[in-house]
Amino acid sequence: MASGKIMRYAAMLRSGEITSVKLTEAYLEKISVLNPEINAYVSVNAEKALASAKEADAMISRGEGYVLTGIPFGIKDNIATKGEETTCCSRILKGYRPTYNATVYERLVERGAVVLGKNNMDEFAMGSSTETSCYGAAYNPHDKGHVPGGSSGGGAAAVAAGLAAYTLGSDTGGSIRQPAAFCGVVGLKPTYGAVSRYGLIAYGSSLDQIGPIASSVEDAAIVFDAIKGADKRDQTSSGGTEPTVDKLDGNVKGLRIGIAEEYFDGISADTLAGVRKAIDFYAGSGAEIVKVSLPMLKDALPVYYIIACAEASSNLGRYDGIRYGYRAARYDDVNDMIMRTRSEGFGREVKRRIMLGTYVLSSGYFDAYYKKALRLRESIVTAFTKIFAECDVLIAPVAPTTAFPVNYTADNMIETYMSDICTVPVNIAGLPAISVPCGKDGKNLPVGMQIIGKKFDELTVLRAAYAYERAGLTDVSLDTGVTL
Amino acid sequence: MIERKEVEWLARLAKLKLSDEELDGLTEDMEEIVEFAGRINSAVSGTEAYRGVVTPVESLREDVVGECSPQDLVLSNVNGGENGYFPVKRRKLDGVR
């Protein structure tokens, strides 16, 4: 069975077998050895981590601890941590120290979780390989000649290499699920609104969601339970805090699993084999396999890129060098300063997406692109609603292939965009989805499958994933643990 | 077909100052990207307008005045600012103030 860490560490901490300080030191030691090779972290705050670990030990000895108390985690560099540099791995935010904490960070720290540092990512979460980071690329621990995926590639690589018990990532078009699949770990993208976005530096505000990346479904559920729930600082958030982890069992009898063949077009043979094997497992375990159809799937990619880039062009309009971050060294006047700052501060992929967003929102193109994309978005939402009258979850690949070779995306821009075909529909419709390992390909790279659920039905998604994990079919782990 | 002049205009709208080399590169990129986004033209949408991603809105805070961030905190990312302002000093390209 996949090696979940959280419950094991929690038991060891409570029994006194280890302390949080010792556990944190062990992770910091492992990061110092392995991080130079895979660049999963762009910053590590050892002093703060150990101080938090000491407080966590005190909490535990007072009998006040939670399951997550004392357990070290990593956090994506687009999630605000007060007073600590948060840059979205972009030059334009170098030196920026948020004046507030993200809600998800507060909810974990209140429970005594120990943050190790900031994970590498594609600049402003725009990418599928974690190669556009201003701190340099991250690499896949399974094979450093391949990418860890993106944009939460640093977080996925950290979990896969055993450099954190879990990490927090963000998913706008697949940025938790795809790197989780590429790195052979579990990644959950919650329903839009299930987790507060307060403190998440925005890319596409109607698409972004924060979620856990972990080494097991159980661990992902524990972290999700801790971070979810309505937040008055994010009016798009809703939902309660009822735990899902207590209700995980291995039972899928009667579960209706939809298979839309449109998801399986153009998928590599190894990925197909892995996902089909999973479908056979569920059929053999008493689930009902239901054929469904999603012909709108082919429209999802241009819809996503138009909406995401339109929102990004607006969101990234705030970066002007005046109040924080990078400022150009030489300029004629304020307007010139703003333009030079943005040109020098943003990387090429970010500029591309800002430009596309500006294009589709501009006069003369607005109706043909943006307005049409919104209407298509509604049609996609309706299509999923109809499908979920016939089934409880969908199973699909996470990506058409396993991890790309390093530098592939630089020369294959459109092909890289198209590789998001399996993930973006979920963001368009605001649905929950989890990526779970389901094997390896001929090059020993992990294959991931995706379980997609109805809005706010993370429980059914997690239960289905847990059944596969309990059968021992998800373990592609590299993680040899930390030396305690 | 997207022309260099159009890309230049988009860059101005997006408040980006691009070099000639960047402009050439982005023109090439934009050609491909706009063609990719243009696939939407062949898609058949329904007639329903988009209802929004969150229906209904649940999490509204009370409509009461709360605390503002203190000025020194807000200015902390510009080394404290100047007299309560975000300073933007003129730094001419030719070195003359």
Side-chain angles (χ1 to χ4, degrees), chain A residues 97 99 230 235 237-238 327 329-331 336 340 342-343 348 351-352 365 372 376-379 414, chain B residues 6 14-15 17 22 29 32 40-41 43 46 50-51 53 58-59 73 77 87 89 91-93:
Chain A
R97 291 176 189 275
T99 56
Q235 71 173 64
S237 69
S238 60
R327 182 186 289 183
R330 288 275 176 262
Y331 42 85
D336 191 46
R340 286 180 187 275
R342 288 166 62 79
S343 306
R348 187 163 172 166
K351 283 178 191 163
R352 282 184 193 136
Y365 297 114
K372 182 152 189 194
L376 279 164
R377 184 173 193 176
E378 189 63 28
S379 300
I414 299 298
Chain B
E6 195 168 13
K15 292 196 167 39
K17 196 172 197 110
E22 266 192 304
D29 289 347
E32 277 191 80
I40 205 172
N41 294 325
Y50 181 54
R51 284 177 292 163
V53 68
E58 284 182 15
S59 298
L73 192 62
N77 276 292
K89 290 191 159 58
R91 297 195 189 283
K92 298 283 273 181
L93 284 165

Side-chain angles (χ1 to χ4, degrees), chain A residues 160-184:
Chain A
L163 304 187
Y166 62 93
T167 60
L168 287 187
S170 72
D171 190 312
T172 305
S175 290
I176 286 174
R177 291 162 286 152
Q178 184 252 41
F182 281 11
C183 292

Side-chain angles (χ1 to χ4, degrees), chain A residues 47-167:
Chain A
E47 198 181 313
K48 179 176 174 172
L50 290 168
S52 301
K54 205 169 162 190
E55 275 174 34
D57 283 329
M59 261 177 98
I60 292 169
S61 64
R62 290 193 303 264
E64 290 168 7
Y66 299 83
V67 168
L68 289 171
T69 304
I71 297 177
F73 73 102
I75 192 164
K76 193 173 180 181
D77 194 32
N78 60 352
I79 298 174
T81 48
K82 186 174 176 177
E84 307 239 23
E85 204 175 356
T86 302
T87 70
C88 297
C89 291
S90 177
R91 189 179 186 204
I92 209 165
L93 279 179
K94 276 223 176 165
Y96 170 58
R97 291 176 189 275
T99 56
Y100 62 101
N101 284 316
T103 296
V104 291
Y105 176 76
E106 281 182 347
R107 287 180 176 174
L108 289 175
V109 164
E110 273 161 16
R111 285 163 171 76
V114 175
V115 67
L116 291 163
K118 289 296 181 73
N119 291 126
N120 206 350
M121 56 182 282
D122 280 304
E123 186 185 4
F124 280 104
M126 298 178 188
S128 306
S129 61
T130 311
E131 291 178 298
T132 64
S133 165
C134 70
Y135 297 105
Y139 298 95
N140 194 317
H142 288 265
D143 181 339
K144 292 189 273 286
H146 289 78
V147 302
S151 60
S152 309
V159 173
L163 304 187
Y166 62 93
T167 60

Side-chain angles (χ1 to χ4, degrees), chain A residues 467-479:
Chain A
Y468 199 65
E469 178 172 276
R470 233 171 73 144
L473 298 166
T474 63
D475 196 353
V476 300
S477 176
L478 276 179
D479 180 10

